Amino acid sequence: MRKLEIQKVKKLRKNDIVGLTAPAGPVSQEKLKKAIAAVEELGFTVMVGETCSLNYKGYLAGTPQKRASELNEMFFNQEIKAVFCLRGGYGAPQILPLLDRELIKNNPKLFVGYSDITALHNYLQQQCGIPTIHGPMPASDLIDADSFTKENLYQMLIGPTSMRTVYNPAGERMEGIVSGRASGMLTGGNLTLITALMGTPYEIATKGKILFLEEINEELYKLDRMITQLALGGKISEAEGIVLGTWTGCHFDSHFLIKDVFKEILEPFGKPVLFNLRAGHCNPMVSLPLGAFVEIDTDREEFVIKEGITQ
């Protein structure tokens, strides 16, 4: 797998045009209207893609060809200063072979989403050298988001993003479960998507990086299985450190807590592990700059963005 230098992208300014596209699942027209309003309330102008009004098979926002074409077009369009994914769901991995790598690489801009959008985060970083924002999406998060979530995303969009300490919402503690200090480029996202891409040309590269993981509504044994798969695939041993986000709906009645399961699997690798960063399927939500150079100190329970993604 070739290694690309990560570019910095231009931060947004008030009233900039952002493209709204649906590379995965569909939404109702009522929710679309609320999603557009939520982005406008952040202070930006919205250009709505056709996929935002499409429904294909009941679970996709258009054919793979249509969704890929629209994403390519939004990167090429010089009026659009950032791309927001309408929602996650399912479908982003389908469009990876259809994306125009050179076009996207030559037209870098901010890109926001999470969950199924993990496939696109990984593609943009590894294939195009473009950093991205793992953050709330208009239809699934922003329409009901609290002030912490909105402000956290807004500050990530308008910059600067360097030399910033990442803080959880009040009352939520980040906890070091494997001691140590590590630094590297931040990568990762949804655990299911990362494991689903193993063995493909779009498999995540973790060497020298800080690996961020999160998940929703999975049973404990499935989380164990997926983390074990990453470990067997060398993704844990190659990483410098691990940041574990939220595990919404994954807390089941068990003698083992989720953090205990993670610690049991990860501790033998001797990599620092930070637990309970409130990023992922949660509200309030922290926005993360994937592709930024970060440092974690699990003994001090600190997560610092040393070099950000915007200029």
Side-chain angles (χ1 to χ4, degrees), residues 5-9 75 108-111 121 124-125 128-133 289-292 308-310:
E5 290 296 323
I6 297 295
Q7 310 177 57
K8 287 196 174 183
V9 292
F75 270 95
K109 58 188 67 174
L110 284 167
F111 176 88
H121 285 306
L124 292 173
Q125 290 155 45
C128 307
I130 296 177
T132 59
I133 296 176
L290 300 179
I309 64 173
T310 56

Side-chain angles (χ1 to χ4, degrees), residues 27-38 40 143:
V27 301
S28 66
Q29 289 303 295
E30 179 183 358
K31 186 164 280 190
L32 175 60
K33 290 178 183 178
K34 292 180 179 179
I36 295 169
E40 290 175 340
I143 57 177

Side-chain angles (χ1 to χ4, degrees), residues 188-206:
N190 182 260
L191 179 58
T192 294
L193 268 294
I194 290 171
T195 55
L197 293 171
M198 293 282 283
T200 75
Y202 311 104
E203 179 176 315
I204 194 168
T206 63

Side-chain angles (χ1 to χ4, degrees), residues 1-290:
M1 184 179 297
R2 62 182 190 149
K3 183 178 179 181
L4 287 179
E5 290 296 323
I6 297 295
Q7 310 177 57
K8 287 196 174 183
V9 292
K10 290 184 178 179
K11 59 187 177 182
L12 294 186
R13 296 180 296 181
K14 189 175 177 63
N15 296 322
D16 271 350
I17 295 175
V18 300
L20 189 60
T21 186
V27 301
S28 66
Q29 289 303 295
E30 179 183 358
K31 186 164 280 190
L32 175 60
K33 290 178 183 178
K34 292 180 179 179
I36 295 169
V39 179
E40 290 175 340
E41 286 174 9
L42 288 178
F44 306 117
T45 302
V46 183
M47 184 179 292
V48 183
E50 185 182 349
T51 59
C52 295
S53 299
L54 298 180
N55 190 316
Y56 178 64
K57 296 182 181 179
Y59 58 88
L60 296 168
T63 64
Q65 291 77 13
K66 179 60 183 177
R67 286 177 283 127
S69 174
E70 183 168 281
L71 189 56
N72 287 332
E73 290 169 7
M74 286 199 168
F75 270 95
F76 184 69
N77 188 328
Q78 300 305 299
E79 290 185 313
I80 295 175
K81 305 305 180 183
V83 178
F84 283 35
C85 296
L86 183 62
R87 60 157 292 185
Y90 168 76
Q94 294 178 332
I95 73 174
L96 298 181
L98 305 174
L99 295 176
D100 190 328
R101 182 173 62 195
E102 292 302 312
L103 179 152
I104 294 173
K105 183 177 72 173
N106 293 326
N107 294 277
K109 58 188 67 174
L110 284 167
F111 176 88
V112 184
Y114 76 105
S115 195
D116 192 66
I117 307 305
T118 294
L120 297 174
H121 285 306
N122 195 53
Y123 179 93
L124 292 173
Q125 290 155 45
Q126 294 184 188
Q127 304 288 329
C128 307
I130 296 177
T132 59
I133 296 176
H134 183 283
M137 296 176 288
S140 53
D141 305 283
L142 286 181
I143 57 177
D144 297 314
D146 70 324
S147 58
F148 175 94
T149 301
K150 292 177 181 177
E151 182 64 17
N152 206 267
L153 173 62
Y154 184 72
Q155 293 302 322
M156 194 61 62
L157 293 167
I158 66 169
T161 54
S162 296
M163 299 308 296
R164 288 177 53 178
T165 299
V166 177
Y167 293 105
N168 263 350
E172 291 286 352
R173 174 191 168 199
M174 279 186 278
E175 180 182 353
I177 60 173
V178 180
S179 178
R181 183 175 176 178
S183 60
M185 194 190 89
L186 184 64
T187 193
N190 182 260
L191 179 58
T192 294
L193 268 294
I194 290 171
T195 55
L197 293 171
M198 293 282 283
T200 75
Y202 311 104
E203 179 176 315
I204 194 168
T206 63
K207 188 172 183 179
K209 299 178 182 179
I210 303 296
L211 176 61
F212 164 73
L213 300 170
E214 65 85 32
E215 190 51 89
I216 183 172
N217 295 338
E218 290 289 0
E219 295 185 42
L220 201 56
Y221 79 90
K222 292 184 179 179
L223 297 179
D224 187 318
R225 181 176 64 197
M226 288 188 281
I227 294 286
T228 299
Q229 182 180 354
L230 293 185
L232 293 173
K235 301 306 177 183
I236 305 301
S237 61
E238 290 183 345
E240 293 297 312
I242 313 293
V243 175
L244 300 172
T246 56
W247 308 89
T248 304
C250 299
H251 299 271
F252 292 87
D253 184 18
S254 170
H255 294 298
F256 284 93
L257 298 175
I258 286 177
K259 70 175 182 179
D260 294 330
V261 171
F262 289 153
K263 183 175 181 179
E264 183 179 81
I265 298 171
L266 299 174
E267 193 169 36
F269 291 92
K271 310 288 182 175
V273 180
L274 194 60
F275 180 78
N276 195 41
L277 172 67
R278 304 304 292 177
H281 292 79
C282 58
N283 184 30
M285 181 196 301
V286 173
S287 291
L288 294 175
L290 300 179

